[in-house]
Amino acid sequence: MNAVLQLKARLKTDSRRPYLARGARVVRCEHCALVPDFCLCGEKKALSSRLEFGLLMHRNEPFKPSNTGKLICDLMPKSAAFAWHRTTPDPALLAWLAPDTRIVFPSHYVAKERQAPLPASGPVKLLILDATWPQAAKMLRSSRYLDKLSVTSIDDAVLSNYPLRDQHQDGHLCTAEVAAMLMAQAGETANAHKLSAYLAAFTDHYLAAKRHGLPSGESLAALKAAMAS
């Protein structure tokens, strides 16, 4: 069970009422959140990387079938996931953070003196705020316990290819796209390709089920080829 699914289980245990968003009654794979006939769990493959991702998730995100943070955790077993709280951070998050941990966010939200490029070598922890973009901006502004961390910027002018959610602005990337971009920046082009292929297949299969159709088959073939390379 990946880190997002573990967080989801903890939140369900603590919740006083079920999460009943649109589509909540659809029968889905417990792991990939796709309908069973289109499940991709057999295609995922653990990747080796110098990047270690942490997801600071708005409370609703682990319950959304369209969430792509779980795709990162599927391929990156060392990834961690934490529920966001404005004033009382999860102790596990504070334990995970290191002085040189980087928050990942578009540069125009952050003062220049707080920005720092991705290190050219060596291990690095990267904290992604997993939420809608307005929620993520609020999380960054209001979480005082994150103020001391540097920010590694992403190029939010790159158009998002993720069609499952309204990104509010064309340049806003989904969580898995952000991680793939960071892998590419770190020189891990093969990992970036694998995660991008996994996201593309997930998107294709998710939309096919939503439209009561069939996946194209091309995305699955591309994913198999990527994972085999």
Side-chain angles (χ1 to χ4, degrees):
M1 184 182 293
N2 72 33
V4 171
L5 296 179
Q6 292 177 41
L7 175 59
K8 179 181 176 180
R10 292 196 298 271
L11 292 175
K12 285 177 70 173
T13 299
D14 295 341
S15 179
R16 296 182 180 180
R17 58 183 181 178
Y19 180 81
L20 295 175
R22 183 172 59 184
R25 296 182 180 179
V26 175
V27 176
R28 301 181 185 276
C29 170
E30 293 183 0
H31 300 282
C32 67
L34 295 168
V35 297
D37 286 348
F38 299 161
C39 174
L40 289 173
C41 289
E43 306 302 331
K44 60 190 178 185
K45 177 182 178 182
L47 306 180
S48 176
S49 172
R50 69 183 178 94
L51 308 182
E52 183 178 345
F53 290 103
L55 304 178
L56 185 55
M57 308 185 78
H58 189 276
R59 187 176 181 85
N60 293 335
E61 287 299 322
F63 296 95
K64 294 180 179 179
S66 57
N67 175 269
T68 66
K70 64 180 177 291
L71 305 183
I72 301 169
C73 296
D74 275 344
L75 302 189
M76 310 281 284
K78 291 184 179 180
S79 300
F82 313 96
W84 175 73
H85 300 280
R86 185 174 64 86
T87 58
T88 54
D90 184 344
L93 168 65
L94 298 181
W96 182 84
L97 293 173
D100 57 351
T101 298
R102 309 294 181 81
I103 299 173
V104 181
F105 219 73
S107 58
H108 66 264
Y109 286 91
V110 184
K112 261 192 173 180
E113 57 269 21
R114 193 180 178 189
Q115 297 177 32
L118 190 69
S121 61
V124 59
K125 287 186 172 183
L126 297 167
L127 184 67
I128 300 177
L129 308 185
D130 194 0
T132 66
W133 280 98
Q135 288 170 344
K138 178 182 177 181
M139 290 162 66
L140 183 66
R141 289 194 308 267
S142 60
S143 305
R144 299 277 70 87
Y145 52 91
L146 299 178
D147 284 350
K148 293 182 179 180
L149 298 178
S150 297
V151 175
T152 290
S153 299
I154 54 172
D155 181 6
D156 62 336
V158 178
L159 294 180
S160 174
N161 292 316
Y162 188 60
L164 302 189
R165 298 225 218 131
D166 178 8
Q167 299 295 318
H168 300 283
Q169 295 181 19
D170 285 341
H172 286 172
L173 306 170
C174 76
T175 306
E177 286 175 314
V178 170
M181 182 177 290
L182 290 163
M183 290 172 174
Q185 284 186 16
E188 298 181 358
T189 53
N191 283 348
H193 179 58
K194 287 177 171 65
L195 179 55
S196 296
Y198 192 29
L199 172 63
F202 174 81
T203 303
D204 182 28
H205 285 222
Y206 188 102
L207 287 175
K210 187 175 182 179
R211 296 166 180 169
H212 304 287
L214 294 173
S216 67
E218 295 177 3
S219 65
L220 180 58
L223 174 60
K224 288 178 179 293
M227 292 301 178
S229 63

